[in-house]
Amino acid sequence: MFDTIKTFIDVAADGSFSAVARRHDIAVSSVARKIGALEAELGAKLFVRSSRSIRLTDAGEQFLSRAKNIVAELDDAKRTLADLHGDHRGLLTVTVPAAFGRRYVVPAIASFLRLHPLIEIEMHLSDERVDLTAHRVDVAIRIGILPDSDFVATPLAPMRRLVCASPDYIARHGRPATPEQLMDHNCLTVASAPLPAGWWCFAGVQREAALAVHGTLRTDDTEALLEAAVAGIGIVHLASWLVGDMVKAGKLLVLFPDLPAPLKKIPSAIHAVRMPGRSHAAKAQLFIAHLKTCFGDPPYWDRF
C-alpha cells in the first residue's frame, strides 16, 4: 500500500503515467495497475484520464494532502528506528531563549557534537515562544510555567529567582533586612505589565502578591537589568542562572539567601519540550539527556 501511495503522489506531480514509469524503470501498465488498485481500495476515482492528459479529481485533490502526510510520517518513523538501532546522525533543530542559550546551551552543544560527530544541530536563539505544531522543531527549551499541552516535557533544572545588589550599592544605600524594606530601595524591573509570574513575590509577604517596588530603570531586557545591577544602579530580582556568574565573582550579593520560595507559587522550571510522534525522538532524547548531565543536579549555576 505504501508503495502504491507513493506512486499516486508521483503521478499527481508529473501528470503522466509514462513519466513515472520511465523514472522508476517500470512498465506503464504497472503504474496504471497500482493506481487502479488504490482507487478500488478507496472506492473513488482519483484521476480523470484523457488521451492527452491526466488530472486529479476532487477526491484525488482531497486525498493528495493526506497521502503526503502518510508518506512523511512513515519516513519519519523509519528515521527514528534507524536512529534507535544505528549510529545517531542527521539534523536536530533546537530553539532556545537567547540569553540562556548563549550561556548554557551552546557549551553543552559543543560537548554533544564531540560525542556525536554525525549529528548536525540547527539552533535558533529567540525569546519568542515557537509554535511546535507549526514549525519543524525537535527540541524547545522553555523557561517558566508550562501551560497544559500534549507535548513531552522533561525538567532540566529548577527555576530560582534571587534578589541581588552590588557591593557598591549596598555600601551607598544600606542592605535591606527584609523583602518589605525593598519598597524603600531603587528596584530595577521589567517594563512589561503585568509582571511575569513570581517577580517580587516572597513567602509570607503581602499574601505572596508582588510588591509594588519602584526604581529609576525599567526595561524589557533582563541582561540589561543584570548589567545595571552590577553597575550599582539598583536591586534586581532575577533568575539564578542569569546572576550566578556575577554572584560567584563577588560583583553581586544575594540579599535574602535563606528565604524560601513562595508557597503559593505555581511550579516554574527549565524544561526541554518536544512533540510526540513527530520529532526525531531518539536524537532528541539523546540531546535532552546530555543537557541534564551537563547542567547537573543542582545545576552548576546554582552552586555558590
Side-chain angles (χ1 to χ4, degrees):
M1 174 64 78
F2 180 65
D3 183 59
T4 301
I5 291 174
K6 291 185 74 172
T7 299
F8 161 72
I9 294 171
D10 288 344
V11 172
D14 292 348
S16 167
F17 284 6
S18 58
V20 174
R22 285 194 300 272
R23 179 141 52 93
H24 295 285
D25 194 23
I26 58 176
V28 174
S29 59
S30 178
V31 175
R33 279 196 301 272
K34 289 182 179 181
I35 298 301
L38 183 59
E39 290 175 329
E41 178 73 22
L42 298 174
K45 282 289 184 183
L46 300 175
F47 293 104
V48 176
R49 304 165 178 81
S50 71
S51 58
R52 293 187 176 182
S53 66
I54 180 171
R55 60 182 177 83
L56 288 166
T57 63
D58 289 343
E61 291 279 5
Q62 292 181 8
F63 183 65
L64 181 60
S65 61
R66 299 197 176 193
K68 289 179 178 178
N69 287 338
I70 290 169
V71 170
E73 288 291 340
L74 189 53
D75 284 343
D76 191 56
K78 287 180 176 179
R79 285 192 295 269
T80 298
L81 288 175
D83 281 346
L84 286 170
H85 299 292
D87 292 333
H88 295 285
R89 64 179 65 234
L91 180 66
L92 190 71
T93 303
V94 179
T95 179
V96 193
F100 186 80
R102 285 191 292 266
R103 290 166 182 259
Y104 302 108
V105 179
V106 170
I109 284 176
S111 57
F112 180 79
L113 292 177
R114 285 194 292 270
L115 291 171
H116 306 283
L118 299 180
I119 292 179
E120 300 175 11
I121 290 181
E122 180 179 304
M123 181 174 64
H124 300 274
L125 292 172
S126 173
D127 293 327
E128 295 293 326
R129 182 159 289 201
V130 175
D131 183 358
L132 299 190
T133 62
H135 299 274
R136 190 75 187 192
V137 174
D138 296 309
V139 178
I141 306 302
R142 298 276 168 86
I143 299 177
I145 299 167
L146 285 182
D148 291 335
S149 73
D150 294 327
F151 299 154
V152 178
T154 303
L156 299 175
M159 174 67 176
R160 297 175 60 210
R161 201 176 294 281
L162 302 174
V163 180
C164 297
S166 70
D168 175 64
Y169 178 89
I170 298 301
R172 287 184 291 112
H173 300 283
R175 178 172 184 152
T178 66
E180 290 92 339
Q181 292 180 7
L182 292 172
M183 304 287 285
D184 300 323
H185 282 266
N186 195 45
C187 294
L188 316 179
T189 188
V190 292
S192 60
L195 286 174
W199 282 65
W200 305 106
C201 297
F202 304 97
V205 177
Q206 197 172 280
R207 297 183 179 179
E208 299 188 358
L211 292 176
V213 298
H214 56 86
T216 56
L217 175 65
R218 293 181 298 278
T219 176
D220 57 0
D221 187 278
T222 53
E223 288 189 284
L225 290 176
L226 173 66
E227 293 302 322
V230 170
I233 296 175
I235 298 174
V236 289
H237 192 205
L238 294 173
S240 62
W241 62 260
L242 190 58
V243 301
D245 286 347
M246 295 295 102
V247 172
K248 291 176 184 177
K251 295 182 178 181
L252 288 178
L253 302 175
V254 179
L255 300 187
F256 314 117
D258 300 322
L259 194 68
L263 298 176
K264 297 178 183 177
K265 179 183 171 185
I266 300 172
S268 180
I270 301 169
H271 289 87
V273 178
R274 63 183 180 87
M275 282 195 69
R278 193 184 73 175
S279 300
H280 299 155
K283 290 197 296 286
Q285 291 169 1
L286 191 70
F287 178 65
I288 291 168
H290 185 77
L291 290 179
K292 286 178 69 71
T293 299
C294 287
F295 295 166
D297 184 16
Y300 64 87
W301 54 81
D302 278 349
R303 299 173 197 165
F304 47 76

